[in-house]
Amino acid sequence: MSTGLRITGYLAILRKHFVLLASAIVLVLASGGIYLWRQAPIFEAEALLLIEQPVMNLMGGGAKRNYFAISQAALNTELFLLRENEEPALRAIDQMENGPGALPEPPTPPSPTPPSPTPPSLTPPSLTARSTGNSGAGAPNDSGADVPLDPEYQEELAAYEVRAERHRERQTAHRAAMAEVGYTTATLRSRVSVAPVHGTEGLVRFSLTSGDAATLPSAVNAYADTYRQDAQRKRTVNFELQQRDFEARKQRASERLRAAEYARDKFLALYTTQNLALDVNPHAQRRGDLASQVRGLEQTALDDQIAKRHIDEALADAGIVAEITPLDGSEESAHGASLAAIECNLRMAAEPGATDGVTLHEALAASSLVADLARVRSHPDVDRLRETERESLSRDRELADQGVLAGGRQRVTVQANLERARKERGEITARALEIELTDMAHRARHLADVRVRLEKACVEESEFNAALTDYQRLASVVETQQREYDEARQNLTDLRSIFLARDGEENDDDSARTPLRISIRVPAKSARQVAPNVPLVVGMTVVAALLTGLGLVFLFEFLDDTIRSKEDFDRYVGLPFLGFIPRISERDHASLDTAAESNPGSAVAEAFRAVRTSILFTKKLERGRTLLVTSAGPGEGKTTIATNLATAFARKKGPVLLVDADLRKPRVGKALGLDAGLGLSSILAGQASVDDVVRKTAIDGLVAITSGPIPPNPAELLHGERMVEFLAEVGERFEWVILDTPPLIAVSDARVLASRVDALFLVISMGKTSRRLIQRAVESLTSIGFGVDGVVLNNMTTADSSYGEYYYAREYRHE
């Protein structure tokens, strides 16, 4: 579908609902006009305030103090106070109620006249004198005599009285105007608007809104001035409070610092022998060395235990006992600190003679200790003695083998040498074994001593660590208190530096303290109207009116369930389609019912010819030529379709008979210009024949039978046998027979005739016939076993179709 067709379709929808569109637009525009008419004008006046904050000059050079822009946090605080603080609003109300201000002081009388009256009385003595009848006589002095008044002074007093009276009148009028406008604390605060000026530092736009444009600028200036004074006064008081608070903080921090330092020094005095300030534990290294030494001695002790077990087993086999005793015979000395006073002694376990006279040295010589003991193996005489023993044994065996006397004597000598060598080796073994066992005892006692010292070192390390932890805690407290003291002192210094600064100069005068410098850079001069915004309201009203109207139009169009296009027909109806019939314009056609004849070259005539062609190609009409034209409801143009379709058939193939079968509201006779008289009802009632009722029309090839007199029982007549005979007779005499019947939903006439015709065609008026009505009409036929053979879509507009069937006729109708 082209863009032009879519736009044309939208315009057609708007034309269809033009009344609704116009009503909605007028209603919304009227509502907007009433809203503007009822809205009271609101005016706004604004002033520009500059808020600055003194800070330190960190760049060096120049003045010691300097003003820079206020920080964003401080500016937000000031904006909040300007909006929410009630005190400036109260003082502004008082100042605005005073209006013109205070009356100037009256003129001073010349000496020695009495003092002039006070301003509240506003009545000078001269006026009192005139009111009492003493005008011009003067005023009494201290002595009771009248003093004449200076004429110039009298004139000044008279002028002063006039000014005072005018001042009172202006003040009374001003207060009345304020009361009428309704300036109160609550309303004034609710009308305040403050905002920082974009792209500036510290510049604030302060504005008020009101319905009175005359008093609004003065209200803005009064409010801004009272805020400026109140802010400076409160910040000065706040500075005093902060200064006292910071001084108290500094004093408390100083006391806590001295207490922490005293506790730390007192703790150090208890540990004078240990340098806790170095933060190093000297006992840790000693404990580590002793632990390493214990691990080495334990390994040696383990080796000694193994060796001692072997020695004990060998001594037990030889019947020898090793005794380790102190040299002085004291048991305490054996387990004391003097490890050098320990000695090992060897003795035979049994009494002499119990071991066949074997001596200690012989037993040691025979024991395996001689071979196993390392100290014995390393002795220089052991190998010599063993060689002597082997030689003596070998010589003894040789002499024993000789068996002679000389050999016996030699054997004695050899055996004596063998015994002497064994005894000497036994002595060496005994001495080496005593030394070895003594060394083992020394190492065991040394291990025990090192373990004792290790335990002592661990205790000392733990005690030192505990003391060091306490010292570090005290030192940390001192550092914390020192930082707090330094911070309090710095805060106090910064506070004084900032709040004692004025215009970039140092000033120690307390009266010159100013925390903020607030100035009115641009006072309010005039008020401008801000509400209602007439152009905005008018524009929004126009837009709302258009949107409301269009929305309602398209909403109604969306809720409309009529068949509006071929797409709707295909989607919701689904019946055989014969063609479109354009909407017939009375401007182009003299009669709607004969449009196909009055203008054969028009698009309407071409549309009926297209429908005729579609009917000719209907397979159901290969044998019959009786057609029934009806509609779902009234007013859908079925009679117009029937007459124009009969005209199209008459121009193609004649003769064609058009029968008005609507015995309730007939219209064919009027459409074709035929007078009332005999008709179909007459034939069905047996009062006339076909020849009596057939009438010629102004259209060649077309004849018609009107409905005749309206009977009381149309359905019974149409359902009778005479109707069957009538259709059979006209079917033989005419090429085409077209019946115009009442709507399907209204009466049952069309359903009665559906079984007696060759084809039934349904007329649907686009944009009028609803889908529910069509469905009921089709169901009324299908319930009796008949269906619709074709549908003609009537009253089609140019925008209703995207197929362009009728553009051909428009382009080529003159060919």
Side-chain angles (χ1 to χ4, degrees):
M1 183 182 293
S2 63
T3 305
L5 290 178
R6 287 199 299 268
I7 295 176
T8 306
Y10 295 149
L11 293 177
I13 294 174
L14 295 179
R15 287 195 302 269
K16 177 181 178 182
H17 301 281
F18 176 76
V19 176
L20 176 64
L21 176 64
S23 300
I25 291 177
V26 170
L27 181 61
V28 176
L29 290 177
S31 301
I34 294 174
Y35 171 80
L36 283 177
W37 176 65
R38 298 190 62 180
Q39 290 296 314
I42 302 298
F43 300 93
E44 182 184 40
E46 67 177 19
L48 294 181
L49 305 180
L50 181 62
I51 304 177
E52 296 175 304
Q53 187 176 30
V55 296
M56 294 295 294
N57 183 4
L58 303 178
M59 301 302 294
K64 297 181 180 180
R65 302 285 195 273
N66 196 1
Y67 274 104
F68 288 94
I70 189 172
S71 64
Q72 187 62 41
L75 182 59
N76 292 337
T77 302
E78 294 303 319
L79 296 181
F80 175 80
L81 293 177
L82 189 56
R83 285 192 301 264
E84 303 298 334
N85 194 5
E86 187 175 2
E87 183 65 22
L90 290 173
R91 298 179 62 188
I93 290 294
D94 295 338
Q95 184 174 348
M96 285 187 290
E97 287 182 351
N98 291 330
L103 183 68
E105 293 292 332
T108 303
S111 184
T113 57
S116 61
T118 57
S121 65
L122 298 178
T123 306
S126 61
L127 300 180
T128 305
R130 287 197 301 267
S131 64
T132 57
N134 297 327
S135 177
N141 57 10
D142 295 339
S143 61
D146 292 338
V147 179
L149 297 177
D150 187 7
E152 295 181 358
Y153 176 66
Q154 289 183 1
E155 293 178 359
E156 291 180 359
L157 286 179
Y160 173 78
E161 182 183 4
V162 173
R163 290 196 306 271
E165 185 64 24
R166 292 177 179 176
H167 177 78
R168 285 194 296 269
E169 291 177 356
R170 288 196 303 269
Q171 195 169 35
T172 302
H174 177 74
R175 290 181 178 178
M178 293 291 295
E180 182 179 357
V181 173
Y183 280 118
T184 62
T185 304
T187 58
L188 197 63
R189 288 175 58 193
S190 64
R191 299 169 182 175
V192 170
S193 175
V194 290
V197 179
H198 181 69
T200 62
E201 295 181 348
L203 196 61
V204 176
R205 180 180 288 107
F206 172 76
S207 62
L208 283 175
T209 58
S210 175
D212 184 18
T215 61
L216 192 57
S218 60
V220 171
N221 295 329
Y223 199 112
D225 186 65
T226 53
Y227 162 72
R228 179 183 61 81
Q229 298 175 4
D230 185 70
Q232 292 184 352
R233 177 179 57 83
K234 287 188 175 182
R235 294 308 189 280
T236 302
V237 174
N238 187 29
F239 163 70
E240 299 291 345
L241 296 177
Q242 289 183 352
Q243 184 180 22
R244 288 197 294 268
D245 181 62
F246 283 160
E247 288 178 351
R249 291 183 185 180
K250 177 184 175 183
Q251 182 64 25
R252 291 194 298 270
S254 177
E255 293 175 357
R256 289 195 295 267
L257 176 61
R258 289 196 298 270
E261 290 177 345
Y262 173 76
R264 181 197 61 186
D265 297 339
K266 182 179 179 181
F267 185 82
L268 283 176
L270 299 177
Y271 291 88
T272 56
T273 58
Q274 301 182 13
N275 193 357
L276 296 177
L278 293 179
D279 198 12
V280 177
N281 192 343
H283 302 284
Q285 183 65 33
R286 181 166 171 266
R287 191 264 310 159
D289 295 342
L290 290 175
S292 299
Q293 187 176 357
V294 165
R295 287 192 295 270
L297 292 176
E298 287 177 347
Q299 183 61 38
T300 303
L302 181 61
D303 297 339
D304 288 345
Q305 289 177 4
I306 297 174
K308 181 68 167 52
R309 186 170 60 252
H310 292 166
I311 293 174
D312 290 341
E313 291 175 355
L315 291 179
D317 294 339
I320 302 174
V321 176
E323 295 179 351
I324 300 177
T325 58
L327 293 180
D328 55 1
S330 172
E331 186 67 19
E332 181 181 358
S333 174
H335 299 283
S338 180
L339 300 179
I342 298 175
E343 184 179 10
C344 180
N345 296 316
L346 301 176
R347 64 177 179 80
M348 294 299 294
E351 295 294 332
T355 56
D356 298 331
V358 178
T359 62
L360 175 63
H361 295 162
E362 291 175 351
L364 288 174
S367 174
S368 61
L369 290 173
V370 177
D372 294 337
L373 198 59
R375 191 181 295 277
V376 175
R377 290 197 304 269
S378 63
H379 198 279
D381 293 334
V382 171
D383 293 336
R384 178 179 61 78
L385 293 175
R386 286 182 176 175
E387 184 63 29
T388 301
E389 290 180 5
R390 285 195 296 271
E391 291 178 356
S392 298
L393 288 174
S394 177
R395 183 61 180 167
D396 184 62
R397 284 194 295 270
E398 290 177 359
L399 291 177
D401 292 338
Q402 291 178 5
V404 292
L405 182 58
R409 288 195 298 273
Q410 292 178 357
R411 287 185 63 190
V412 172
T413 304
V414 170
Q415 289 178 356
N417 292 333
L418 177 58
E419 291 176 359
R420 186 171 54 256
R422 287 181 175 177
K423 181 179 180 181
E424 185 177 355
R425 189 163 60 86
E427 292 176 354
I428 293 173
T429 300
R431 184 58 185 164
L433 185 57
E434 290 176 352
I435 294 173
E436 183 69 19
L437 292 176
T438 300
D439 291 342
M440 288 182 181
H442 279 218
R443 287 194 293 271
R445 294 298 185 270
H446 182 60
L447 175 59
D449 180 69
V450 173
R451 283 177 175 172
V452 171
R453 287 186 289 165
L454 176 60
E455 293 177 359
K456 183 179 180 181
C458 290
V459 173
E460 292 175 350
E461 181 184 11
S462 299
E463 293 177 351
F464 186 87
N465 287 336
L468 184 60
T469 301
D470 294 339
Y471 172 75
Q472 291 176 347
R473 178 179 57 80
L474 294 174
S476 176
V477 171
V478 172
E479 293 178 359
T480 302
Q481 298 301 329
Q482 183 66 44
R483 286 195 301 270
E484 291 182 359
Y485 174 76
D486 294 341
E487 182 180 358
R489 183 178 59 183
Q490 185 62 38
N491 289 339
L492 182 59
T493 302
D494 294 342
L495 180 68
R496 290 174 176 174
S497 300
I498 293 175
F499 281 82
L500 294 181
R502 185 171 185 179
D503 296 336
E505 298 180 358
E506 188 73 19
N507 195 332
D508 294 334
D509 186 6
D510 291 344
S511 63
R513 294 171 180 167
T514 169
L516 292 174
R517 187 170 65 179
I518 302 175
S519 58
I520 303 177
R521 288 303 177 94
V522 180
K525 297 180 181 179
S526 61
R528 58 185 179 89
Q529 182 176 347
V530 295
N533 192 338
V534 177
L536 179 62
V537 173
V538 170
M540 292 181 63
T541 304
V542 171
V543 173
L546 293 176
L547 292 179
T548 303
L550 293 176
L552 290 176
V553 165
F554 286 101
L555 176 62
F556 273 74
E557 185 69 16
F558 175 76
L559 296 177
D560 185 10
D561 66 341
T562 59
I563 301 300
R564 293 173 291 176
S565 63
K566 181 62 166 55
E567 289 79 3
D568 292 345
F569 174 80
D570 295 338
R571 184 182 302 113
Y572 301 113
V573 178
L575 295 175
F577 175 69
L578 297 178
F580 291 104
I581 300 300
R583 180 173 296 171
I584 303 175
S585 175
E586 296 180 355
R587 181 181 55 187
D588 299 332
H589 302 277
S591 175
L592 302 180
D593 299 317
T594 58
E597 177 64 21
S598 61
N599 191 358
S602 65
V604 175
E606 181 64 27
F608 281 106
R609 287 192 290 269
V611 173
R612 180 196 63 190
T613 303
S614 299
I615 293 175
L616 291 175
F617 283 97
T618 303
K619 293 183 178 181
K620 193 174 180 179
L621 298 178
E622 292 178 354
R623 298 178 182 178
R625 295 291 186 267
T626 304
L627 310 180
L628 187 149
V629 178
T630 185
S631 63
E636 298 187 26
K638 59 180 181 55
T639 302
T640 301
I641 299 299
T643 55
N644 285 280
L645 187 61
T647 302
F649 272 99
R651 294 178 64 87
K652 179 69 176 177
K653 293 179 180 181
V656 176
L657 174 62
L658 176 62
V659 180
D660 190 353
D662 189 351
L663 303 182
R664 302 175 188 273
K665 292 182 179 181
R667 210 176 66 81
V668 172
K670 183 179 179 180
L672 297 177
L674 302 177
D675 56 352
L678 298 178
L680 178 63
S681 61
S682 302
I683 296 174
L684 298 180
Q687 299 175 358
S689 63
V690 174
D691 294 331
D692 295 336
V693 297
V694 171
R695 300 181 184 184
K696 292 184 179 180
T697 65
I699 302 171
D700 295 338
L702 176 63
V703 294
I705 297 178
T706 61
S707 63
I710 299 176
N713 52 348
E716 286 78 1
L717 291 178
L718 295 175
H719 198 272
E721 292 296 331
R722 291 184 179 276
M723 186 66 188
V724 178
E725 297 174 357
F726 168 74
L727 292 177
E729 181 180 353
V730 296
E732 293 177 357
R733 296 176 58 180
F734 297 96
E735 184 72 19
W736 294 94
V737 178
I738 300 176
L739 280 74
D740 180 23
T741 64
L744 288 169
I745 300 302
V747 292
S748 61
D749 298 358
R751 284 179 287 172
V752 171
L753 295 176
S755 60
R756 300 180 179 179
V757 297
D758 298 324
L760 186 148
F761 301 109
L762 187 67
V763 176
I764 295 177
S765 179
M766 297 181 65
K768 182 178 181 181
T769 308
S770 67
R771 299 193 296 267
R772 293 190 301 272
L773 191 63
I774 297 173
Q775 184 178 5
R776 289 175 55 192
V778 174
E779 289 177 353
S780 67
L781 292 174
T782 56
S783 64
I784 59 177
F786 298 97
V788 178
D789 298 306
V791 175
V792 178
L793 295 181
N794 190 21
N795 291 328
M796 185 208 74
T797 61
T798 305
D800 290 333
S801 176
S802 60
Y803 301 95
E805 295 93 337
Y806 303 102
Y807 295 101
Y808 178 86
R810 292 189 176 186
E811 294 293 335
Y812 297 95
R813 60 189 176 187
H814 298 295
E815 295 184 3

